[in-house]
Amino acid sequence: MTRLLVAGVGNIFLGDDSFGPEVIRALTRRPLPAGAAVRDFGIRGMDLAYALLDGWTVAVLVDAAAGGRPPGTLSLIEPELPGRAPAAPPEAHGMDPAKVLALAAHLGDEPLPRVLVLACEPAELPRGDEDIAPGLSEPVRGAVGQAVEALHVLVPALLADPQVTPSLARPEESTGPSAAGLPHPAATGAEDR
């Protein structure tokens, strides 16, 4: 039986970075089908790393990620999963999905679940000197409903066949593994959230 986790990630106090938690909140009004667990991990990277070790077949991370597209564009990305190399723990108040996946791979004895990222192009992510930037930008706020719709297509398809690679409404929005702050293991510069 397929076990599927939909995980919202991002900081609710950093503007468009709160996309993942906002999508999870919107799903309370329109729940996904049975068989999918929906959780808001916010910036709790350690919690997400341990959750990924809990026997899921597929995990769909919902996140804001800069990829050079117009703000509000949704992309479906399948990152290359890391091996069991030693990993630094994620920051206590940060969420870097690449570091979380590396930590989960390091901690677990079993292979990680298949991971997909439903990413939204932010209009603007706060700079390092900003403490709080409340609210989503207009294009990202509009993408929240589109993400809920996309999840209502993706999740049933993945529950039926966890190896399927569903596409979004527009095929050019489905991308390879190096987008969404989830580089190949040799890449650098992943953004902390």
Side-chain angles (χ1 to χ4, degrees):
M1 179 171 170
T2 301
R3 294 186 68 227
L4 190 144
L5 173 65
V6 175
V9 299
N11 190 326
I12 62 170
F13 299 112
L14 294 180
D16 286 347
D17 195 49
S18 65
F19 174 75
E22 287 295 328
V23 170
I24 300 304
R25 191 172 74 152
L27 285 170
T28 62
R29 295 184 296 277
R30 189 167 171 223
L32 291 171
V38 177
R39 296 186 189 156
D40 178 5
F41 285 90
I43 58 171
R44 297 182 327 272
M46 187 72 76
D47 289 348
L48 178 56
Y50 279 108
L52 290 170
L53 302 175
D54 198 24
W56 302 103
T57 311
V58 181
V60 179
L61 308 184
V62 182
D63 193 12
R69 295 179 177 81
T73 301
L74 295 177
S75 300
L76 184 63
I77 300 127
E78 184 164 8
E80 184 176 315
L81 296 178
R84 288 190 42 92
E91 296 175 18
H93 299 290
M95 173 65 83
D96 177 340
K99 289 180 183 177
V100 169
L101 290 174
L103 178 63
H106 176 71
L107 293 173
D109 292 329
E110 301 294 321
L112 291 179
R114 181 178 187 207
V115 176
L116 297 170
V117 180
L118 180 59
C120 179
E121 182 75 33
E124 183 176 330
L125 288 174
R127 295 177 300 275
D129 59 345
E130 293 178 293
D131 289 333
I132 295 178
L136 295 173
S137 65
E138 280 302 315
V140 174
R141 184 177 300 115
V144 169
Q146 294 171 358
V148 169
E149 292 296 325
L151 287 167
H152 275 274
V153 172
L154 298 173
V155 167
L158 289 166
L159 287 171
D161 179 359
Q163 295 307 312
V164 73
T165 303
S167 63
L168 299 179
R170 293 181 287 183
E172 69 272 17
E173 294 178 353
S174 294
T175 62
S178 62
L182 293 166
H184 292 283
T188 60
E191 181 176 343
D192 289 330
R193 296 187 199 222

